[in-house]
Amino acid sequence: MINLSNYIREIPDFPKEGIQFKDITPLLKSPEAIKESLDQFLALLGDEKIDKVVAIESRGFLFGMLLAEKLNAGFVPIRKPGKLPSDTYSEVYELEYGKDTLEIHSDAIEKGDRILIHDDVLATGGTARTACNLVKRMGGKIVQCNFLIELAFLNGRNKLKSFPVESLLKY
Ligand code: AMP
């Protein structure tokens, strides 16, 4: 069996000093690692029915779209401000220094839709929590939040307490 951690490259001090960036491009260039990741994501979801995969810009789109296809679900992008062309809902969240905003198309989710939230990395959890807030506001039911990588020492799970959280690799 493939060990996915062999496909994650650590880049020190990127994009700024003190950050250990988890680079997933070695995983993305390996067909075996892509397949293994998808198999593991699907196993962790079990037989839960998903209507839409909601994925976070931009690296969340990569496996988000593949998962949507495998799950026979739709795909919904959550993006940085000003990128989505139609009407949006937006939510502001706190960063270590300052604030940021995420947006979703206001017609992206129907009340009662069963949602899988996906991103590449769970760090402090602020980004995923904001995505969950947007989905909840629109009446979606969050079935699971999943991530390729969880930086467990940052306790991002605490911000996602009300939702099931799964990750393929923990650091
Ligand atoms: P957070 O809101 O702190 O959980 O940050 C999550 C977002 O930042 C995700 O969209 C990740 O892609 C990105 N991110 C945070 N920390 C890292 C890291 N060490 N390596 C790669 N991406 C990261």
Side-chain angles (χ1 to χ4, degrees), residues 39-46 48 144 146-147 166-168:
D39 287 349
Q40 290 191 22
F41 277 132
L42 294 174
L44 289 169
L45 201 52
E48 295 277 14
Q144 189 181 93
N146 72 18
F147 306 88
E166 298 288 355
S167 56
L168 304 190

Side-chain angles (χ1 to χ4, degrees), residues 14-61:
F14 182 88
K16 53 183 181 188
E17 224 177 300
I19 305 284
Q20 275 271 77
F21 191 83
K22 301 281 191 253
D23 176 19
I24 63 167
T25 61
L27 190 158
L28 296 176
K29 74 176 180 183
S30 159
E32 297 81 19
I34 291 171
K35 183 175 183 316
E36 177 65 22
S37 303
L38 279 173
D39 287 349
Q40 290 191 22
F41 277 132
L42 294 174
L44 289 169
L45 201 52
D47 47 19
E48 295 277 14
K49 162 102 183 79
I50 299 294
D51 296 308
K52 282 164 189 151
V53 177
V54 173
I56 303 166
E57 178 171 353
S58 57
R59 288 182 300 276
F61 295 172

Side-chain angles (χ1 to χ4, degrees), residues 19-22 57 59 119-127 151:
I19 305 284
Q20 275 271 77
F21 191 83
K22 301 281 191 253
E57 178 171 353
R59 288 182 300 276
D119 202 359
D120 66 332
V121 174
L122 173 64
T124 66
T127 308
L151 305 180

Side-chain angles (χ1 to χ4, degrees), residues 80-120:
K80 304 275 164 60
K83 303 280 189 185
L84 289 170
S86 188
D87 291 343
T88 58
Y89 293 124
S90 64
E91 178 133 343
V92 179
Y93 64 108
E94 301 282 335
L95 298 174
E96 198 178 345
Y97 301 104
K99 289 177 196 301
D100 215 339
T101 305
L102 289 177
E103 294 187 342
I104 189 169
H105 269 148
S106 49
D107 63 354
I109 287 169
E110 311 293 323
K111 228 179 161 124
D113 270 353
R114 294 172 57 82
I115 304 293
L116 172 66
I117 303 271
H118 171 77
D119 202 359
D120 66 332

